[in-house]
Every structure is written in structure tokens, then in C-alpha cells.
Amino acid sequence: MKMKKIAILGSTGSIGTQTLEVVRANEDLTVTALAAGSNVELLDAQIREFRPSLVAIWSEEKAKELKERVKDLDVEVAVGMEGLLAVAQQPEAEILVTAIVGMIGIRPTIAGMKAGKDIALANKETLVTAGHLIMPLAESCGVRILPVDSEHSAIFQCLNGESSKELHKILLTASGGPFRGKKKEELRGVQPSDALKHPNWSMGKKITIDSATLVNKGLEMMEARWLFGVEPENIQIVVQPKSIVHSMVEFTDGAVIAQLGTPDMKLPIQYALCYPKRRPLPGERLDFSRITEITFERPDLESFPGLQLAFDAAAAGGSLPTVYNAANERAVAWFLDHKIGFLDIPDLIGRCMEAHKVIANPSVEEILETEAETYALMENMRF
Ligand code: NAD
Ligand code: MG
């Protein structure tokens, strides 16, 4: 049997652990390298089960502990950014799953592509900030970028066998998050524990907060723009509260094609890993004898200004999406630490965007400098 060899950045997180579930269920998939932040217990267990030859851990302190724990095994332990880059470029691996959170994924993703790996992309922050570099690079390196994000996988599935020239617009669906229907005033006092209760999906903390602010949909709009070569004005956000319709595309003749399913990330993960094949996937199925309605709404840009700011950032382009993303990453971390309120998240993003002088076509260095400048600016904005 020909085995498909997989490296995973972010193996201990929500997407990482579900990727390993998919690997466990498919006997022709095998893991050759793993990287994680600091969860040594889980990483140790993953090493013992999946036997990668290389692992990376971000935390230097935890690296010592990990080396001690796995000294009975034949596995190399690498650390920090060097470790992430080593996992991304590991010669054995054919496909790199980017399940790490945040724009820290930029350099490893680029390194993976340059080393000829197909990318199963969950790490949307990389495309949002560096999509103008990543997409042409994929082309010149001859590698594929296979979307893992459920909406983008849906769009990718809808476009199967179609000509992208005939794509008129993307209808990107959103659940609306836990605060759908709330007015801005009602959002002032919400706590991280309220925002972490997503109605349909169980995900990492950062993306769960992003779903509550609708910043996630803003990031996904920019992700879709790069993946499918569609202008932001041709991406419409449609709220579909039950997350049954994962997204839709409209063609030049007006035909709309949608992908539907239960909210289970294993489907888009498996589709990306096995593309273009479909495999059986256990779990709940949609039961159309029980679904009585599928409803659609417009997003509320008043209550959720973070979504409008994403369209502003995309329209200006250049380094502004990096400011949008970096300000959000830092603001979400502060919100989770109870340092700022929920509405301060879009407020800080907007203020950082206003203060920024846009660089057209930024290089990786300029993107990382813009990120650092945004964080420095935010230090002076703290209240
Ligand atoms: P998570 O917080 O659950 O997991 C993040 C993983 O990255 C963990 O393994 C963590 O250890 C690792 N990590 C973080 N910083 C690191 C660092 N500096 N070095 C090495 N490893 C590091 O996040 P998640 O929900 O799995 O999301 C991952 C990415 O996938 C995000 O970009 C998110 O937007 C995207 N995504 C997630 C979902 C979902 O259902 N969870 C859906 C769509 C897209
Ligand atoms: Mg999504």
C-alpha cells in the first residue's frame, strides 16, 4: 500500500487532534513529523501512538521535559521557530497540515511550500496577511493549497470540475456566533466564558472568540479572496445559524451550488488529506426528514463592526490586512486575560488600522515588521 506521509504544525490543538483522528481511521495515512506549542503530555502520547521521526515544541523549557520523556524512542526533538521550520521542511513528508494558530504560521508555511509540500491549510491568518505571496509561490513551487476551513472546503468542493472563470460570486456562510441577534449595548459586558460558548462548533479559544466578534468571517473573506481569486466585493456573507450550509458559489448563469453537512471538521480535513478522493467517514449525517427549515439572515455590521473592518482592510490591501489580523490576535489574547472588554476588540483593530500607513505588496519581512509595530502601538493604547 502506498502511504501518504503527513507533517502537522499544531498537533495538540483542535484541528491537530482531529487530523490525527483522520489519520488513525485511514490506514494509508501516516504521520512523519509533529509540532506543538507546550502541551508535552499530549505530544508525548501522540509520539508514542504515531511514531513520527521528528517533533518540534515551541517552548524551550518544555523541550527539556519532552526530551527526557521520549528518550526511549527514536525521535528527534527540535525547538522554537527552528523546530517549526524543520517540521515544515521534513524531507519525508508529502503534505503539511498547518493547524497552528496565528500569523506565526507564515514562515513555516512558506518553508513547506519551498520544500515541495502540498499544504492542507487551516491556518487562515497566514493567507490573510501573506496571501499575495503564498498563492503565486504555490504556483511556482508546483504545490497545492488544499483548504481545511469548512467554508473554504465547501467552496472548493462546489468548484470541483467547474471553470473558475465562470464563478460569479462566493456566498460565505456564518453561524453568527453565540451573540447573534444581540445589540451592541448588550455586548458591552460579555465575558470570555460567554464568548467561548459557540452554538455549533467546538474549536480552539482564539477562533471561538473570532467567531463571536465575526472577525473570523472577516478573516475567512480574505482567505477566500486569495484561495479562489475572487474580489472582496464578490464575496457575500450570509448568516445561516445552524451551520448546515457550509458555503455556496454562484456562477455566471445564476446557478448556485452549495455544500451541506453536519458540523464536523473531520470532513474537510479528510477531504484535504485524501483529495481528490472521498472516503467513508463515520459520524452523524444530515437527516432531511428532521430538518424543517434552513434560514438565512444578513450579518449585523452595527453590532459586529469587526466584519466591516475586514472589508475595509481587504479593499485597501497591502499591509492593512496584517494590521487587522495582528491587532485582533493581541486584542483577543487580552480579552481572554480579562484585560479588555469584548467591544474593545473591534475598537482596537479600527484604531490600529487608522494609524497605519499602508505598504503596498509587503514582503515577509515587512509583514512581520508591521505585526511588531502594531503590537508596539497597542501597548500605548491600553487602558
Ligand atoms: P488551537 O488553539 O486548538 O490549537 C493550536 C495548535 O497550535 C496547538 O497545537 C498549539 O500547541 C499550537 N501552537 C500554537 N502556537 C504555537 C507555536 N508558537 N509553536 C508551535 N505550536 C504552536 O487552535 P485551532 O482551533 O486548532 O485552530 C488552528 C488554526 O485552524 C487557526 O488558524 C484557526 O483559525 C483554524 N481553524 C480552526 C478550526 C477549528 O474547528 N478549530 C476551523 C477552521 C479553521
Ligand atoms: Mg470556518
Side-chain angles (χ1 to χ4, degrees):
M1 190 185 342
K2 173 146 183 2
M3 300 294 274
K4 194 169 214 175
K5 301 189 182 92
I6 301 167
I8 307 174
L9 301 173
S11 66
T12 57
S14 162
I15 295 290
T17 52
Q18 293 181 88
T19 301
L20 290 172
E21 276 182 58
V22 170
V23 169
R24 199 180 276 132
N26 285 280
E27 55 176 4
D28 59 340
L29 301 181
T30 182
V31 163
T32 54
L34 297 174
S38 61
N39 187 344
V40 257
E41 293 78 19
L42 183 53
L43 190 53
D44 179 357
Q46 292 178 342
I47 296 167
R48 283 174 199 281
E49 179 178 355
F50 294 95
R51 299 301 169 113
S53 56
L54 170 67
V55 297
I57 185 150
W58 180 258
S59 154
E60 223 159 279
E61 199 188 309
K62 298 280 177 159
K64 283 198 201 98
E65 188 187 334
L66 184 67
K67 281 182 189 155
E68 190 55 37
R69 274 172 174 265
V70 298
K71 65 177 182 211
D72 59 317
L73 301 174
D74 190 13
V75 58
E76 185 188 339
V77 178
V79 191
M81 181 51 76
E82 222 170 277
L84 287 174
L85 294 172
V87 166
Q89 307 175 81
Q90 191 205 29
E92 280 171 86
E94 296 157 71
I95 182 160
L96 175 67
V97 180
T98 62
I100 191 168
V101 58
M103 55 188 294
I104 185 137
I106 295 176
R107 291 183 56 207
T109 304
I110 290 176
M113 288 194 296
K114 287 188 174 162
K117 317 297 175 199
D118 284 333
I119 307 290
L121 186 137
N123 179 231
K124 62 189 85 180
E125 296 89 347
T126 283
L127 269 191
V128 167
T129 55
H132 61 290
L133 303 173
I134 300 278
M135 298 312 292
L137 186 63
E139 180 94 38
S140 66
C141 294
V143 300
R144 280 201 282 236
I145 302 206
L146 300 152
V148 167
D149 211 344
S150 59
E151 294 78 359
H152 304 74
S153 175
I155 296 161
F156 186 58
Q157 293 176 57
C158 293
L159 291 174
N160 237 340
E162 300 283 350
S163 156
S164 62
K165 283 193 231 94
E166 287 154 10
L167 173 62
H168 174 56
K169 86 192 233 195
I170 286 176
L171 299 146
L172 188 68
T173 54
S175 71
F179 304 136
R180 184 178 61 88
K182 292 224 187 302
K183 290 286 144 229
K184 204 166 181 182
E185 266 320 298
E186 299 172 80
L187 296 176
R188 198 161 297 283
V190 302
Q191 295 301 308
S193 56
D194 306 317
L196 286 171
K197 287 181 201 125
H198 195 280
N200 308 328
W201 299 94
S202 156
M203 311 178 283
K205 281 189 181 170
K206 191 252 174 189
I207 182 174
T208 306
I209 302 301
D210 289 349
S211 301
T213 55
L214 296 200
V215 164
N216 183 49
K217 218 41 64 176
L219 296 172
E220 289 186 353
M221 175 272 292
M222 293 191 258
E223 183 185 11
R225 155 199 209 166
W226 293 118
L227 280 172
F228 305 110
V230 171
E231 290 304 320
E233 59 265 29
N234 293 331
I235 304 177
Q236 183 184 341
I237 312 297
V238 181
V239 177
Q240 197 276 292
K242 294 269 183 263
S243 304
I244 293 170
V245 179
H246 295 316
S247 275
M248 307 181 268
V249 297
E250 185 186 314
F251 292 99
T252 40
D253 59 0
V256 174
I257 297 188
Q259 189 254 326
L260 283 64
T262 51
D264 180 355
M265 286 306 296
K266 288 198 286 301
L267 191 148
I269 293 169
Q270 179 171 284
Y271 191 72
L273 294 180
C274 302
Y275 178 82
K277 291 210 171 71
R278 289 190 185 273
R279 296 275 176 87
L281 184 69
E284 230 184 294
R285 298 287 164 107
L286 287 183
D287 176 356
F288 285 91
S289 64
R290 287 174 43 210
I291 297 171
T292 52
E293 57 173 21
I294 297 178
T295 60
F296 299 101
E297 296 169 15
R298 264 194 248 186
D300 175 358
L301 299 176
E302 276 293 309
S303 297
F304 304 98
L307 181 55
Q308 180 58 51
L309 288 169
F311 278 93
D312 300 344
S319 53
L320 206 56
T322 294
V323 176
Y324 176 88
N325 180 75
N328 179 61
E329 284 192 26
R330 187 50 55 90
V332 168
W334 284 349
F335 173 67
L336 286 169
D337 272 355
H338 300 268
K339 288 185 176 136
I340 62 169
F342 185 73
L343 295 180
D344 294 328
I345 300 172
D347 186 57
L348 284 167
I349 298 172
R351 285 162 65 195
C352 289
M353 281 170 58
E354 254 168 53
H356 181 69
K357 197 160 167 298
V358 176
I359 308 165
N361 244 322
S363 63
V364 173
E365 291 68 34
E366 286 169 322
I367 290 168
L368 298 177
E369 276 163 27
T370 301
E371 178 192 28
E373 279 167 24
T374 304
Y375 294 159
L377 179 71
M378 288 173 81
E379 281 306 316
N380 304 320
M381 282 183 183
R382 285 180 68 174
F383 9 109

